[in-house]
Amino acid sequence: MAKSNIFNVQELGKGMNFASYNDKFICIDNFNQKDEPKIASHPMIYNSKYNCRVTVMQGCLHLKINGAEVKVKSNDHLLITPCTQVEIISSRCKLFCILVQGHILDDVAAAISDSQAKASCFIFKHYHFTTDQIAQAAADYDKVKKVVEYQTNIFKEAALRARLTILLVHIQSYETAPTTSEIVAFSDCIQKVIFFHFIDLLQKNYLKERTVTFYASSIGLTQKQLSGITRVYAGSTASKMIDQYVAYCIILQLYKNKDNIKTISTMFNFSTQSFFGRYFKRVIGVSPRDYIRLYSKKLSI
């Protein structure tokens, strides 16, 4: 049974509970294991589309995520994003896990403004909760699981979304600071996702935003991390890519408004026409007026 498109849950050991709603939402736990809770080791699993939240109530779960070893202990909570490779090294723990993808998550994320619930650029975030917080999360999870397992009427999806919202609202309120640094040794797949996300943001915001800080923080990276990825895919720093793209867009406007540099300066939200001229000269090598003079024939095409 490979319903989750990630693994065969039966391979994880006896007593594992599994419930799914159209593969858009999956919940897994080992609450019914009578002996010492244990999950079998498992080779590399590629997670292509699920946001996976693993909560350990007792014991320790030893994982390897995109090559980085992670130990999730009692009262720890782990958020794993899509485009990751996960390997279970060893486990003697009591845990529950939810995997969410598709429109259910989008609706919930919009309702609670949970940016972390959506696919992002990090591989995982690792949190430590109090005993009371873990107990509350477990109670919320149990109610979600009951909807998935037992409710069969036309309101099932609405009920699931409501219960899931409550669970994520509580978890989000607990997520104050990761217990460990976020892993930033991105896989090739996730670097590519980040790069094209950066390009998309640049195309949408270039008229107002020209700092690496804005784009890096919008994605959830440091400036150094973003520039490291742009070097791989464009051979240039993020700062140079921003400047070159903005300058290219300015040149396109010079074709249309070659006699009105002030209009272009205002269009690109420069504080003064003088600052606009200095910016353009720094990137292109000549002032806008000199550019028009040097390339007047081409600009007249």
Side-chain angles (χ1 to χ4, degrees):
M1 179 178 66
K3 292 183 65 177
S4 69
N5 298 317
I6 298 179
F7 53 79
N8 184 337
V9 72
Q10 292 177 343
E11 296 174 2
L12 298 183
K14 296 179 180 179
M16 295 296 296
N17 297 316
F18 174 95
S20 171
Y21 174 73
N22 295 337
D23 274 355
K24 296 173 182 177
F25 174 85
I26 298 166
C27 49
I28 301 169
D29 64 74
N30 63 344
F31 292 170
N32 293 337
Q33 287 186 354
K34 296 180 180 179
D35 301 324
E36 181 182 19
K38 182 179 180 181
I39 299 174
S41 59
H42 200 285
M44 199 69 75
I45 303 158
Y46 183 68
N47 168 28
S48 62
K49 58 185 177 181
Y50 290 97
N51 287 277
C52 178
R53 291 179 176 272
V54 182
T55 305
V56 173
M57 302 176 69
Q58 298 173 8
C60 179
L61 174 64
H62 190 184
L63 303 175
K64 186 177 285 186
I65 305 175
N66 280 9
E69 289 196 19
V70 186
K71 289 187 177 180
V72 191
K73 300 180 180 180
S74 295
N75 296 354
D76 279 3
H77 178 80
L78 196 65
L79 170 57
I80 307 172
T81 55
C83 302
T84 52
Q85 292 178 323
V86 181
E87 178 180 353
I88 302 174
I89 299 175
S90 64
S91 170
R92 291 185 179 276
C93 65
K94 182 179 180 181
L95 60 75
F96 62 92
C97 174
I98 60 172
L99 299 91
V100 190
Q101 60 99 8
H103 68 279
I104 292 179
L105 180 66
D106 291 338
D107 289 349
V108 172
I112 65 175
S113 300
D114 183 8
S115 60
Q116 292 183 349
K118 293 190 176 183
S120 186
C121 57
F122 55 82
I123 294 170
F124 69 81
K125 288 188 177 181
H126 187 185
Y127 300 91
H128 185 75
F129 296 159
T130 67
T131 301
D132 289 343
Q133 289 170 341
I134 289 291
Q136 179 64 66
D140 292 338
Y141 165 79
D142 188 57
K143 292 176 182 177
V144 171
K145 187 174 72 169
K146 287 178 180 178
V147 172
V148 177
E149 289 180 331
Y150 303 123
Q151 190 162 339
T152 57
N153 60 39
I154 60 174
F155 300 108
K156 180 170 183 174
E157 185 170 319
L160 174 59
R161 192 180 297 124
R163 287 297 184 187
L164 184 59
T165 301
I166 294 171
L167 185 151
L168 292 181
V169 164
H170 284 144
I171 289 179
Q172 184 194 28
S173 69
Y174 307 153
E175 293 174 347
T176 53
T179 59
T180 59
S181 299
E182 296 171 22
I183 297 299
V184 294
F186 302 111
S187 65
D188 290 341
C189 175
I190 211 159
Q191 284 191 62
K192 193 175 294 184
V193 171
I194 294 169
F195 178 76
F196 285 110
H197 184 32
F198 165 62
I199 296 299
D200 182 60
L201 285 172
L202 180 57
Q203 291 174 339
K204 292 176 180 177
N205 296 280
Y206 72 92
L207 287 174
K208 293 183 178 180
E209 301 294 344
R210 291 182 287 273
T211 67
V212 181
T213 302
F214 169 81
Y215 293 100
S217 62
S218 296
I219 300 171
L221 300 178
T222 66
Q223 297 179 50
K224 184 178 179 180
Q225 290 163 2
L226 179 58
S227 286
I229 291 172
T230 59
R231 283 192 183 97
V232 171
Y233 289 94
S236 180
T237 64
S239 178
K240 287 183 179 179
M241 285 191 66
I242 294 167
D243 286 344
Q244 289 167 357
Y245 185 81
V246 171
Y248 167 76
C249 293
I250 290 172
I251 289 171
L252 291 180
Q253 290 302 320
L254 288 174
Y255 277 81
K256 301 176 183 178
N257 301 286
K258 62 180 181 178
D259 296 324
N260 198 340
I261 292 175
K262 183 178 180 181
T263 298
I264 300 174
S265 174
T266 302
M267 180 187 304
F268 282 77
N269 289 282
F270 285 92
S271 55
T272 65
Q273 188 174 333
S274 176
F275 179 47
F276 167 69
R278 291 196 302 272
Y279 178 89
F280 187 85
K281 185 174 183 178
R282 175 174 63 81
V283 180
I284 301 301
V286 295
S287 68
R289 293 195 184 281
D290 286 342
Y291 190 91
I292 292 172
R293 178 176 57 80
L294 290 169
Y295 301 99
S296 58
K297 292 183 180 179
K298 292 183 178 180
L299 291 172
S300 300
I301 293 175

